[in-house]
Every structure is written in structure tokens, then in C-alpha cells.
Amino acid sequence: MYLADRTWPELGEYFAEESLALVPLGSTEQHGPHLPESTDHRIAEALAREAAERTGFLCTPTINVGVSPHHRQFHGTMWVEPGVFRDYVESLTRNLTYHGVDRVIFVNAHGGNVQHLREVGRRLRDDGDAYAIEWMWDESIPDLVDDLFEHNGPHGGPKETAMMLHIADELVREDQFERARDDGIRNFEDYEGARKFGARTFYDAIDNTECGVIGDQTDATREKGAELFEAACDQLVRLAEWLDEQAYEDLMPREHV
């Protein structure tokens, strides 16, 4: 069920029976010369809406702009400051609790959001208002990602490229795959410029890659994207069903020993 497409009486019927919501979040930021800046939030929304369709749970509108200042040097990247993002997501989630939702899955597709969503979840849980957890699609299927791609890369690589070929292939610039690979970093694990003596020495993506890409996109296909999407969606469905079955008091903080 997609919240924005329903009437308030229809939503009242949902809230009378259910208390779980899926909130998709991503970013609007550079993903190299081959992928649109909507990549992250399109992946999050596609997964959340499909999982909602399969389970009957509620999916909210997508939060399209996240914490992305580390991509700011590339044209068009949008971001909000971390504190603003946390406060906004918390306020939105408290809005859901007003309607009776007490458990939320942040369906996330942007690494820069992770720690901030975890912090929001802690705030809500500590206050006893809701149990909200962050879910990152590729972290739910790490073995499959590794099996499908030799150089999957953390940003703009073949896993995101394959997903976008499956979700919105008309937005993927397939003629730019080789440029993205050659002007970026194919294998980040072997890249020595990112660390010195155990310390991370970079703050922005452009410190490492002139085209903003890490990974080898030439290994991405629509078929692999479909496989990734189905596997990740299955994990999200299972998570939602598990969370729905939990007693609320078991999700709240335990008493001091």
C-alpha cells in the first residue's frame, strides 16, 4: 500500500489493523557519467514499494535527498547537513507514530545515511515511541553481490548499475560504462591513495576518483539486476514480516541490570 495514493478513510482502515511502515530513503548525488543522480532513491523506492505490494504493509513517499556532502564537487549533487537530516527523518517518523505506527523500516540505498538513520532509531526507541531500524539493500545480500561481480565497488559500480538497468534502464548511459571504469577506480581494495598508516586520508569522493566512480560497470547486466532486486526484496519482505510478529515490549530497551 502506497500512502500517497490512498484516501484518509482507506488509511484509517490500515492504521486500525497494522502498525508497520516502510520509509524509503536515498540521495540525489553524482553516480558517475553512466548513472543518473536519482540512482539511490530510485532503488530504495522500487524495493520499498515492491515489498509493500507483496506484504500489504504501508510504504511512505521517498526521502530523495540525504547526507551527501562528500560528493559536492560534482555537478548537481544535493545534500542536507547531517543534523538537519536526522531531525527531519525523526520528525517524519514521529508523524507516523501519531497515526498509530510503532515500528518502521528505513529502506535505505545510500551509505551516507546509515549512521544517521541508526541514531534516529535510537532516539525513537529510547523515548519508547517506535522501533525504527535501518536496512541497506546490498548489505542484505553480500554473498550474491560478491558472486555476481568481480569488482562490485561501493559507489556507481556494477551492483548499482545492474539494479538501475532492471529498474529504469532508459536512464542508464550504457555507452559510458568503459569511461566510468577507466576514469574511476576499478578495485578500491587495491587502491593505496585512500589510506596512510591505518588512517583514512580522504573526505570527499573526488579525492580518490575524478569521475566519481568506484567499481567496474562493464560487468553489469539487466539479468543480474533482476536477480539482485528479487533477492534484496525477499530479504526486505522477510524483515518486515519478522518485525510485525514481534511483541512491542520486546523491541524496547531492557531495564538496567
Side-chain angles (χ1 to χ4, degrees):
M1 175 184 289
Y2 182 58
L3 185 151
D5 288 345
R6 299 290 179 162
T7 66
W8 70 262
E10 292 169 342
L11 290 166
E13 293 176 4
Y14 177 84
F15 293 129
E17 299 293 332
E18 304 289 352
S19 61
L20 187 147
L22 304 171
V23 179
L25 309 95
S27 67
T28 299
E29 65 180 25
Q30 73 84 16
H31 274 78
H34 62 301
L35 291 178
E37 304 216 350
S38 63
T39 292
D40 284 348
H41 70 249
R42 283 182 180 273
I43 291 174
E45 180 171 342
L47 287 166
R49 293 188 69 159
E50 179 64 22
E53 182 70 22
R54 296 184 187 186
T55 61
F57 292 127
L58 187 71
C59 176
T60 73
T62 305
I63 297 175
N64 291 339
V65 177
V67 182
S68 303
H70 48 294
H71 293 293
R72 68 188 186 277
Q73 289 93 346
F74 296 93
H75 300 305
T77 291
M78 301 184 70
W79 71 93
V80 293
E81 295 303 320
V84 174
F85 177 79
R86 290 193 296 269
D87 289 346
Y88 180 85
V89 174
E90 181 178 350
S91 179
L92 182 147
T93 307
R94 291 188 185 280
N95 162 238
L96 292 171
T97 68
Y98 177 82
H99 295 297
V101 169
D102 62 14
R103 54 203 78 193
V104 173
I105 299 175
F106 296 130
V107 181
N108 183 36
H110 173 51
N113 294 340
V114 172
Q115 61 180 313
H116 307 294
L117 294 173
R118 290 284 298 172
E119 173 60 26
V120 170
R122 177 175 288 280
R123 290 182 190 177
L124 293 163
R125 182 172 178 263
D126 285 350
D127 288 347
D129 293 329
Y131 183 80
I133 51 175
E134 184 269 343
W135 178 85
M136 185 81 173
W137 74 269
D138 58 323
E139 292 181 359
S140 76
I141 49 171
D143 292 339
L144 178 59
V145 171
D146 287 341
D147 287 344
L148 291 179
F149 309 111
E150 183 178 359
H151 303 292
N152 56 58
H155 188 73
K159 61 188 176 186
E160 290 182 321
T161 303
M163 283 285 273
M164 285 298 290
L165 284 170
H166 174 65
I167 294 167
D169 65 348
E170 72 279 6
L171 298 178
V172 180
R173 283 66 166 174
E174 296 183 63
D175 62 338
Q176 296 294 311
F177 282 5
E178 292 185 3
R179 175 189 174 190
R181 177 197 63 197
D182 296 342
D183 291 349
I185 298 174
R186 188 180 186 208
N187 187 353
F188 194 68
E189 293 180 357
D190 294 337
Y191 178 63
E192 298 180 355
R195 288 181 176 274
K196 298 294 183 185
F197 311 110
R200 293 187 182 185
T201 54
F202 66 95
Y203 284 95
D204 298 328
I206 203 169
D207 295 339
N208 296 320
T209 166
E210 291 298 321
C211 80
V213 172
I214 302 173
D216 185 353
Q217 302 64 234
T218 62
D219 205 17
T221 66
R222 288 163 179 78
E223 293 74 20
K224 290 180 180 180
E227 188 174 355
L228 289 172
F229 185 88
E230 183 61 32
C233 190
D234 178 67
Q235 291 291 95
L236 180 55
V237 165
R238 294 172 65 183
L239 174 62
E241 293 174 341
W242 169 84
L243 183 56
D244 181 59
E245 293 172 356
Q246 305 310 301
Y248 188 68
E249 56 269 21
D250 292 340
L251 299 172
M252 291 294 98
R254 296 172 59 176
E255 295 293 331
H256 193 289
V257 295

